[in-house]
Amino acid sequence: MNNIELYSAYDDYNNLMDLTEDLLSKLVLKIKKSYKINLKSNYKDIDFEPPFRVIDIIPFLSDKTNINFNNIYSDEFNSELINYFKINNIK
């Protein structure tokens, strides 16, 4: 396993997103000679060409899973999430 760790004083999340985008896109381009990485297991490409799409994670997850993320600390939410994992064979 490989890791990249990044620390930056006095930056906000926008600066860190820009820095991460720049780092990942240049790293993939340098190693693969392309911005795209092919995952042979599911025949999909991951495209690291900037700019990356920026999403608001809670609405995105709600849209993809049809799970209400308004009260993530409730027992109801936990049950719904566990059920979603079981139905979709996510371990």
Side-chain angles (χ1 to χ4, degrees), residues 67 71-85:
I67 295 174
N71 191 1
I72 61 173
Y73 300 106
S74 71
D75 290 337
E76 217 175 282
F77 173 79
N78 288 335
S79 295
E80 193 172 355
L81 193 59
I82 289 168
N83 189 45
Y84 178 85
F85 288 159

Side-chain angles (χ1 to χ4, degrees), residues 59-77:
F60 179 82
L61 289 174
S62 291
D63 182 54
K64 295 297 179 188
T65 63
N66 292 318
I67 295 174
N68 182 348
F69 282 78
N70 288 337
N71 191 1
I72 61 173
Y73 300 106
S74 71
D75 290 337
E76 217 175 282
F77 173 79

Side-chain angles (χ1 to χ4, degrees), residues 22-63:
D22 187 54
L23 174 70
L24 286 175
S25 63
K26 286 180 179 174
L27 186 63
V28 170
L29 185 60
K30 178 81 172 174
I31 293 170
K32 301 298 269 180
K33 309 292 189 253
S34 168
Y35 286 115
K36 292 185 180 178
I37 296 175
N38 184 271
L39 300 179
K40 295 184 191 300
S41 60
N42 61 7
Y43 304 103
K44 289 185 180 179
D45 285 340
I46 299 177
D47 191 350
F48 286 90
E49 186 170 357
F52 293 178
R53 184 173 89 173
V54 178
I55 61 169
D56 188 353
I57 193 69
I58 298 300
F60 179 82
L61 289 174
S62 291
D63 182 54

